[in-house]
Amino acid sequence: LIAEQDQLFQRMLREPGNLDVAFAYAAVSARLGDNEAAATALERMLLFNPNLPRIDLELGALYFRMGSFDLARDYFSKALAPNAPPDVRTRASGYLEQIATQQSPSHFQGYLFFGAQYQTDANVAPGSPLIHSPVGDVLLSSQFVKRPDTNIFGSGAFLYSYDLGTQNRDAIEVTGIGFMNHYFRTQRLDLGFAEVTAGPRFNLPTPDDRVSRLSVKPYAILTEVGLGEAQYFKSLGTGLESTATVWDDLAIR
């Protein structure tokens, strides 16, 4: 690909008006991750013919990948011209929606997982009520003998953040996690757990090139735990979290 990119670049120098060569060079550059070179080639094409909605779309996609949302929006808006093909208009509209989401100060993400299961020994008890012990045989109550049961369960988590608009991209964060387990017969084993934290996250200057991101977050925390359809305990407190991203892909918290 690098050799092909170099050959196409030399052809562009010899044939500056050949739009097919310029587009091929941009495509190869994009595959190599050289988005700047690809964008330059496509912008040169618009100098020869400014009415190319498909080129506007590709330019917008390149600047979108580079994080230049304002430039990307301008090109996507041009790609919505009345003479643009339907597929170009559809893709451009989709990108514009993504930009609006990316630039919104509020972001919400989360997951929810749930299911059901059947257990032949839900209470993890012996199969017989008769227990032999050094002091003699003991006859267990029926609730302490093996019994089958069906239960439903679910877990989930969410993160809501609000960008405070500072230069360091500080934000207010609210997080939550939860778990629920309900048995239809052995309800004394029902378990519920929920935890919510809230606080500001401050992004700090990194100490050296090995750390790409460093932040600290003081927070308040509320925890609620239920067992057997009754409150087991609750807690309220504060905490301090620090997060660092090192070597580009390893997060330490």
Side-chain angles (χ1 to χ4, degrees):
L1 283 174
I2 293 176
E4 184 179 358
Q5 183 191 38
D6 185 61
Q7 293 172 3
L8 289 168
F9 180 74
Q10 297 302 324
R11 283 193 62 186
M12 278 202 313
L13 293 179
R14 296 193 301 268
E15 309 169 40
N18 191 328
L19 300 186
D20 291 334
V21 173
F23 191 80
Y25 173 80
V28 171
S29 298
R31 290 179 62 189
L32 285 169
D34 192 352
N35 294 321
E36 291 83 359
T40 300
L42 294 178
E43 286 171 341
R44 288 181 68 253
M45 293 178 65
L46 292 178
L47 292 177
F48 289 94
N49 186 352
N51 298 315
L52 296 173
R54 197 172 295 276
I55 300 302
D56 290 322
L57 173 66
E58 297 302 329
L59 268 169
L62 285 170
Y63 281 116
F64 180 87
R65 287 198 290 269
M66 289 189 283
S68 300
F69 296 132
D70 291 335
L71 269 174
R73 185 192 299 107
D74 292 340
Y75 282 111
F76 289 137
S77 299
K78 289 177 61 180
L80 292 175
N83 62 327
D87 63 315
V88 170
R89 295 175 60 85
T90 300
R91 287 185 58 198
S93 298
Y95 272 115
L96 287 172
E97 291 176 2
Q98 292 185 54
I99 290 175
T101 300
Q102 290 282 349
Q103 294 190 319
S104 171
S106 299
H107 292 276
F108 180 87
Q109 55 184 312
Y111 78 88
L112 181 64
F113 174 80
F114 59 91
Q117 64 179 350
Y118 173 79
Q119 301 176 73
T120 57
D121 189 5
N123 54 341
V124 195
S128 170
L130 183 62
I131 300 297
H132 300 291
S133 72
V135 297
D137 293 344
V138 178
L139 192 64
L140 297 176
S141 170
S142 61
Q143 66 173 322
F144 299 116
V145 180
K146 170 184 175 181
R147 61 191 303 182
D149 203 346
T150 300
N151 70 297
I152 56 176
F153 57 89
S155 64
F158 74 87
L159 167 62
Y160 170 79
S161 64
Y162 183 84
D163 193 333
L164 295 175
T166 62
Q167 187 174 359
N168 293 331
R169 304 298 299 271
D170 300 327
I172 299 292
E173 289 186 354
V174 180
T175 70
I177 58 174
F179 173 80
M180 179 277 298
N181 191 13
H182 173 69
Y183 288 86
F184 289 99
R185 295 181 60 194
T186 319
Q187 295 180 357
R188 61 188 176 84
L189 298 179
D190 288 358
L191 176 65
F193 167 82
E195 181 179 278
V196 178
T197 70
R201 180 175 296 280
F202 302 107
N203 294 306
L204 307 177
T206 56
D208 54 55
D209 295 337
R210 290 172 297 181
V211 181
S212 60
R213 186 178 181 186
L214 181 64
S215 67
V216 62
K217 173 187 173 182
Y219 60 88
I221 180 170
L222 173 65
T223 305
E224 176 80 23
V225 178
L227 180 63
E229 298 189 341
Q231 185 185 66
Y232 186 55
F233 75 85
K234 66 177 179 179
S235 65
L236 177 66
T238 60
L240 185 67
E241 173 193 312
S242 181
T243 302
T245 303
V246 296
W247 300 302
D248 295 329
D249 60 356
L250 177 64
I252 300 174
R253 184 170 68 178

